[in-house]
Amino acid sequence: MTKSRLFHTVAALLLLFTGALTTAGTASAADCPSGEFCVWENADFSGQRANWSGDDGWWESWIADADSSWANHGISGPGIKDHVKVYSSAGQGGQMTICLTPGQEVGYNGVANDRGDSHTWAMRC
Ligand SMILES: [Ca+2]
């Protein structure tokens, strides 16, 4: 193999490798621990992330009214509260802005964007 041909082979392999990485990144789920509800300050699961395993009646100020993407990685099963309801006011008050079913990931939602102040786990939406 000539030097030039070797270079082209390596370059082609690198391209293949890079392509595979890009595909894997797009296909992977939102980065949220198992058993938790996660909220990001920006759309598409980017920016700073808040996550909870339980309810929170008063979100920290940096994420309150700043939520732009959501993921429900709660544990699912019979009799388990595995849905998550987000509310526009503290103490699960105001309006429900979004409700996530088990495993649901929402990269953006115009109605719920930048409105959440609290959430609770629930049996259903
Ligand atoms: Ca936001």
Side-chain angles (χ1 to χ4, degrees):
M1 192 181 284
T2 68
K3 218 170 189 177
S4 163
R5 190 171 170 86
L6 176 65
F7 174 80
H8 283 134
T9 306
V10 170
L13 283 172
L14 276 175
L15 269 178
L16 276 175
F17 187 61
T18 310
L21 281 179
T22 306
T23 306
T26 307
S28 72
D31 182 19
C32 178
S34 177
E36 307 213 336
F37 167 53
C38 297
V39 174
W40 289 260
E41 60 181 345
N42 299 329
D44 297 324
F45 322 109
S46 63
Q48 198 169 175
R49 184 191 77 194
N51 48 291
W52 303 266
S53 55
D55 297 352
D56 190 343
W58 195 349
W59 288 3
E60 297 276 328
S61 60
W62 67 267
I63 191 65
D65 297 326
D67 52 327
S68 294
S69 47
W70 309 260
N72 175 2
H73 284 189
I75 305 298
S76 193
I80 293 176
K81 290 182 175 178
D82 51 12
H83 292 61
V84 181
K85 293 178 176 179
V86 176
Y87 292 85
S88 63
S89 297
Q92 288 82 31
Q95 292 175 307
M96 188 177 79
T97 59
I98 193 169
C99 180
L100 287 90
T101 56
Q104 189 178 4
E105 298 173 347
V106 178
Y108 183 77
N109 181 294
V111 173
N113 188 51
D114 292 343
R115 291 183 65 206
D117 280 353
S118 61
H119 77 272
T120 186
W121 293 88
M123 293 301 294
R124 58 189 63 82
C125 278

